Amino acid sequence: MGRTIITNIIRFVALIFIQTFLLKNMGFYNLSIPFPYILFIMLLPFETPNWLLFLLAILTGLTVDSFYDTAGINAAACSLLALVRVIFINVTVERQGFENEPEPRLGIMGFRWFFVYTVVLTLFHHLTLILLESFGFFDLKYVLIRFLLSSLFTIFLIIISEFIFFRKKER
């Protein structure tokens, strides 16, 4: 339990640091901005209580909002991400499997499950984030291009980072 908490604190600090200091101004003509900080919420253990999951999601979003000078947009997107995570895990993972598979990682759950999990959660997060940021459907073409490119860039970074820290299943 203590090791899981320390690992998640280190993961939180590292991902927020990478997001705010390395990737904040990195983008492709403001069309593709990566948001790999959502990996913190995605990799929380399965047994994390929902109240704690939503609290951590809001705090993660507010932390990023404080660096990006956005008024709660990331917090709202992270809250939706937490909700979609709960629904996705309830639909796809058996409750009895929590002892064998403690967290949703690539090495534990397999590539296909983790890829679908990453794509679904990233798409929901980015659609919410970009729609709230643009605050309407005025330039729908720009919003859709930005949504797709940012999602692809984020998914690519998440999958690459999971392969870097890949560990085989222990069964």
Side-chain angles (χ1 to χ4, degrees):
M1 182 67 158
R3 181 179 170 180
T4 303
I5 292 171
I6 291 171
T7 301
N8 282 311
I9 289 171
I10 292 170
R11 184 181 296 147
F12 175 80
V13 170
L15 286 170
I16 295 297
F17 178 82
I18 289 168
Q19 181 68 49
T20 57
F21 295 113
L22 297 178
L23 299 177
K24 180 177 180 183
N25 297 320
M26 183 180 149
F28 181 68
Y29 297 107
N30 202 24
L31 289 175
S32 178
I33 301 169
F35 293 103
Y37 76 91
I38 64 173
L39 189 59
F40 170 71
I41 301 163
M42 292 171 60
L43 293 183
L44 287 172
F46 286 130
E47 294 181 344
T48 305
N50 287 344
W51 68 268
L52 182 59
L53 175 67
F54 283 100
L55 180 67
L56 290 172
I58 290 170
L59 290 176
T60 303
L62 287 175
T63 304
V64 174
D65 282 331
S66 67
F67 285 102
Y68 275 69
D69 294 327
T70 53
I73 293 173
N74 286 289
C78 285
S79 298
L80 181 71
L81 174 74
L83 176 66
V84 173
R85 178 188 189 268
V86 168
I87 293 169
F88 188 88
I89 288 174
N90 284 336
V91 169
T92 62
V93 178
E94 296 179 15
R95 286 280 177 208
Q96 296 82 16
F98 283 172
E99 294 82 29
N100 296 334
E101 295 134 358
E103 55 187 21
R105 296 189 57 90
L106 176 66
I108 295 171
M109 300 303 290
F111 179 76
R112 184 173 24 175
W113 185 90
F114 187 79
F115 183 74
V116 171
Y117 176 72
T118 302
V119 168
V120 169
L121 268 63
T122 303
L123 291 178
F124 272 99
H125 175 269
H126 282 43
L127 184 63
T128 305
L129 182 73
I130 291 172
L131 283 176
L132 287 174
E133 205 171 59
S134 66
F135 203 66
F137 298 103
F138 303 114
D139 193 6
L140 191 59
K141 182 179 173 184
Y142 174 74
V143 169
L144 287 176
I145 290 172
R146 188 164 174 222
F147 161 67
L148 289 174
L149 291 177
S150 293
S151 297
L152 287 173
F153 197 7
T154 302
I155 291 167
F156 176 74
L157 287 178
I158 288 173
I159 297 295
I160 292 297
S161 69
E162 276 297 299
F163 273 119
I164 289 172
F165 298 107
F166 181 77
R167 282 181 272 161
K168 292 237 183 217
K169 285 185 182 181
E170 295 177 9
R171 286 192 186 202

